[in-house]
Amino acid sequence: MPDIGRLDGAGVLVAIEPVSIADHRTDPEAGTVALPVGHDMRERLGAYRWDDRAGTFLPLDGEPSAPAPFTRSSLIDVLVRALPEVREDEVEDLTAAVSRAVDDFRRSRATTTQGA
């Protein structure tokens, strides 16, 4: 059976639980993260937090980390999350949100490309 990581209110990994294949998914509202086969997160309970923007666990080291740049997958994730919220009368709001996300993505790509 696959595992999920259970998060506390601050996004810190506090438990690992086996789940059915149907329940093996990341659900920010439920505070769960689908873990890959062969993960080693049992050894990291209480020491890592889920960074939703980066889409990964980051160590709790006492230092705030810089926000992760948008990646192609994080941009797609933003767009996919926005789609269920769309109603015909909200198309203008969605357009503005998508434009901001795309602009952020392009800026992060330009910074990454220039820094490489």
Side-chain angles (χ1 to χ4, degrees), residues 17-102:
E17 300 172 0
V19 294
S20 68
I21 292 173
D23 292 328
H24 187 242
R25 58 187 159 71
T26 297
D27 183 349
E29 290 185 23
T32 61
V33 176
L35 299 172
V37 174
H39 69 84
D40 61 353
M41 295 309 289
R42 286 189 203 293
E43 301 167 12
R44 292 165 170 71
L45 292 176
Y48 278 72
R49 69 175 173 78
W50 178 253
D51 186 314
D52 196 44
R53 187 169 180 191
T56 190
F57 283 99
L58 298 174
L60 294 175
D61 58 6
E63 297 293 322
S65 60
F70 271 103
T71 62
R72 187 177 311 260
S73 63
S74 65
L75 176 62
I76 291 169
D77 186 50
V78 166
L79 297 174
V80 168
R81 286 184 194 189
L83 290 178
E85 304 297 321
V86 177
R87 292 191 299 251
E88 287 183 31
D89 60 330
E90 295 177 337
V91 171
E92 287 182 29
D93 292 338
L94 175 68
T95 302
V98 169
S99 293
R100 283 191 301 275
V102 169

Side-chain angles (χ1 to χ4, degrees), residues 94-114:
L94 175 68
T95 302
V98 169
S99 293
R100 283 191 301 275
V102 169
D103 289 345
D104 288 345
F105 176 72
R106 286 183 178 148
R107 272 193 298 278
S108 72
R109 290 290 290 176
T111 302
T112 303
T113 305
Q114 290 171 357

